[in-house]
Amino acid sequence: MIALAIEAILVIAITRLPKPQPPVPAATVQIRVLQPAPTPVAPKPPPVPPPPLPKPPPVPVPPTPIAPPLPTPPPPQPHPPTTHRVIRPVTHPPPPPPQPIPPVPTPPAPVAAAPPAPPVINESAMSHYIGQVRGIVLSNLQVPEQLIQAGLEGDCVLQFTLAPDGSILSVSVITPSGLRAVNEAALNALRSSHFPAFLPGMPTGPHTFILPVHESGQDDQ
């Protein structure tokens, strides 16, 4: 009985044992050695920008030089007019009556002759000559073009000295015009004139004349 029980236990144990597994074929495994991954390098921080340079102070702009105002030329001072001195006949007082000469043994001293009277200027001859001089100067007078274009006019007074033969000794403007062209035109007309000799009855030496001159660029002149 005991043997039957042991045999039954063995049969049961054998039936319960796990079945043997079929053999597994050996598999070939390839091993690939990989290089180690590179150690990550931390990126370098960007360079710190240098601090901004301080701005230079603004260069002051030098002030624009202002030219001083030109001085206003003084107005032309009129020359004092030279009056024409006319030589008039000089009357001498009558000589005193001769005093009686007491009789003396010696003859009386000779009496010197009185100097001749200065020549008398003939007023009519001087007036006639001045008219000739004025006509000659005005015939040579040319009105400047700028007076004609602007319709201006002006006056000046000339003074000149003539020799008895009519030649010009000196010329000047004693009362100038405010227009320079008027003065120049009058002087040019006088310098280009040829005057006749003095008339009988006029001075025998140089004589000074004064002549007003009027110039106009207007159409009605």
Side-chain angles (χ1 to χ4, degrees):
M1 292 293 289
I2 296 171
L4 292 173
I6 294 171
E7 186 178 358
I9 292 169
L10 291 175
V11 172
I12 294 170
I14 291 170
T15 57
R16 292 194 176 181
L17 288 175
K19 295 180 180 181
Q21 296 292 334
V24 177
T28 303
V29 178
Q30 295 182 357
I31 299 175
R32 183 179 180 182
V33 179
L34 299 177
Q35 295 181 357
T39 305
V41 179
K44 293 183 180 181
V48 179
L53 296 178
K55 294 183 179 181
V59 179
V61 180
T64 304
I66 302 175
L70 297 177
T72 304
Q77 298 295 332
H79 296 277
T82 303
T83 57
H84 173 64
R85 185 173 61 88
V86 179
I87 301 176
R88 300 183 181 277
V90 179
T91 58
H92 295 277
Q99 298 294 330
I101 301 174
V104 292
T106 58
V111 180
V120 179
I121 298 179
N122 190 333
E123 294 293 339
S124 61
M126 178 63 72
S127 301
H128 182 68
Y129 188 81
I130 292 176
Q132 290 182 351
V133 169
R134 179 178 178 83
I136 294 173
V137 174
L138 295 182
S139 64
N140 293 328
L141 182 63
Q142 295 183 359
V143 180
E145 186 65 25
Q146 55 183 339
L147 295 184
I148 299 176
Q149 293 179 357
L152 300 176
E153 59 182 356
D155 297 271
C156 66
V157 179
L158 302 177
Q159 177 177 297
F160 55 98
T161 302
L162 299 181
D165 61 353
S167 58
I168 300 175
L169 300 180
S170 64
V171 175
S172 63
V173 179
I174 60 174
T175 304
S177 170
L179 301 173
R180 182 178 179 182
V182 173
N183 303 328
E184 293 180 351
L187 288 174
N188 293 336
L190 179 58
R191 293 191 179 104
S192 60
S193 299
H194 300 280
F195 303 110
F198 288 177
L199 301 176
M202 294 180 59
T204 57
H207 194 75
T208 300
F209 298 86
I210 296 175
L211 178 64
V213 178
H214 176 75
E215 301 177 46
S216 175
Q218 299 178 1
D219 296 337
D220 58 350
Q221 187 68 19

